[in-house]
Amino acid sequence: MKKSSFLSLFALLLTVIFASSCKPDEPVNPNEEEVITKVTLTIADATTGALVQTAVYSDPDGAGGAGAVRFDSLRLDSGKVYNVSIAMYDESDGGNIKNITDEVRAESVDHLFCYTATGVQVTVVKTDSDGTFPIGITTNWTAVSPSTGTMRVELRHQPDGTKNGTCTPGSTDVQLDFVVIVN
C-alpha cells in the first residue's frame, strides 16, 4: 500500500510539473518597431580618415511628445567623399540607454537604411550588407557640387523575408530630414 501511495503521489507531482511547464508564454512580437530618441551621423573624410563632423538629432521623449531639442545640419565640401556611419539610441529611460544600432545590426536581414537627397547634390552608397542586401549603417557620401537641401535618413523595418534591397516594403522605424549644405 505504501508503494502505491508513493506512485500516486509521484504521478500527481509529474502531472503538476508538466501542466505548469506547458502554460503559454507571453507572445513576443518579433516585428516590434524600435524606440529611437537619438540619432548621430559621424562624418569622416574618406581620404584622410579625419573626423569632419558629428551631427546629432535628439528628441529625449520620443516621437509624439515635445519636439527635438537638437537637430544639427550637415556641412560638406564639394568634390569630397565622406565615410558616414549612423548610430541610434533609445534614451527614453535615462538609466537604461539602449544602443539600437546594435539591435539593427543583429537583425540586419529585417532592416534597411534609406537615404534620399532632395535639392542637394550628394550621392550615397551603402557599404555594409546582411550577406544578401545592403543595410546602410555605414555609407560613402559624395558631395557632388555646391547646393543646399535635405538628406532624408529613414530606417525601414522589413521583417519576415520582405526585405528586397529597396525602400518599399515594411514600415518606418525613424525618418529624419537633415539639412545639408555643400560648399
Side-chain angles (χ1 to χ4, degrees):
M1 179 121 183
K2 203 174 190 181
K3 187 176 183 181
S4 68
S5 295
F6 175 75
L7 288 175
S8 296
L9 182 60
F10 183 70
L12 178 64
L13 180 63
L14 282 176
T15 302
V16 168
I17 290 171
F18 179 73
S20 66
S21 68
C22 292
K23 289 182 182 176
D25 293 333
E26 292 280 324
V28 175
N29 182 358
N31 302 326
E32 184 177 344
E33 292 182 358
E34 292 23 327
V35 174
I36 299 168
T37 61
K38 183 178 181 181
V39 176
T40 62
L41 294 175
T42 303
I43 304 164
D45 184 296
T47 304
T48 66
L51 178 65
V52 173
Q53 181 182 1
T54 300
V56 176
Y57 165 85
S58 179
D59 185 3
D61 66 352
V69 297
R70 182 174 174 186
F71 203 159
D72 296 340
S73 297
L74 309 175
R75 297 190 180 278
L76 307 174
D77 290 329
S78 178
K80 288 216 167 206
V81 178
Y82 300 91
N83 294 328
V84 180
S85 62
I86 190 165
M88 299 167 304
Y89 304 92
D90 175 2
E91 298 180 336
S92 59
D93 177 3
N96 183 26
I97 297 171
K98 293 181 186 174
N99 185 335
I100 302 300
T101 315
D102 290 342
E103 291 180 26
V104 169
R105 192 175 281 114
E107 300 170 3
S108 61
V109 297
D110 294 333
H111 289 92
L112 175 69
F113 281 96
C114 300
Y115 298 88
T116 307
T118 302
V120 66
Q121 299 299 310
V122 175
T123 60
V124 177
V125 176
K126 297 173 186 114
T127 58
D128 56 351
S129 167
D130 64 14
T132 304
F133 298 111
I135 305 166
I137 295 171
T138 60
T139 54
N140 286 338
W141 293 24
T142 302
V144 179
S145 61
S147 52
T148 299
T150 61
M151 179 65 73
R152 174 166 286 171
V153 178
E154 181 178 8
L155 175 59
R156 299 289 293 167
H157 190 94
Q158 301 176 329
D160 305 323
T162 60
K163 185 176 180 181
N164 64 8
T166 71
C167 297
T168 305
S171 60
T172 300
D173 281 340
V174 69
Q175 178 179 297
L176 302 170
D177 291 327
F178 284 90
V179 171
V180 180
I181 301 161
V182 177
N183 298 315

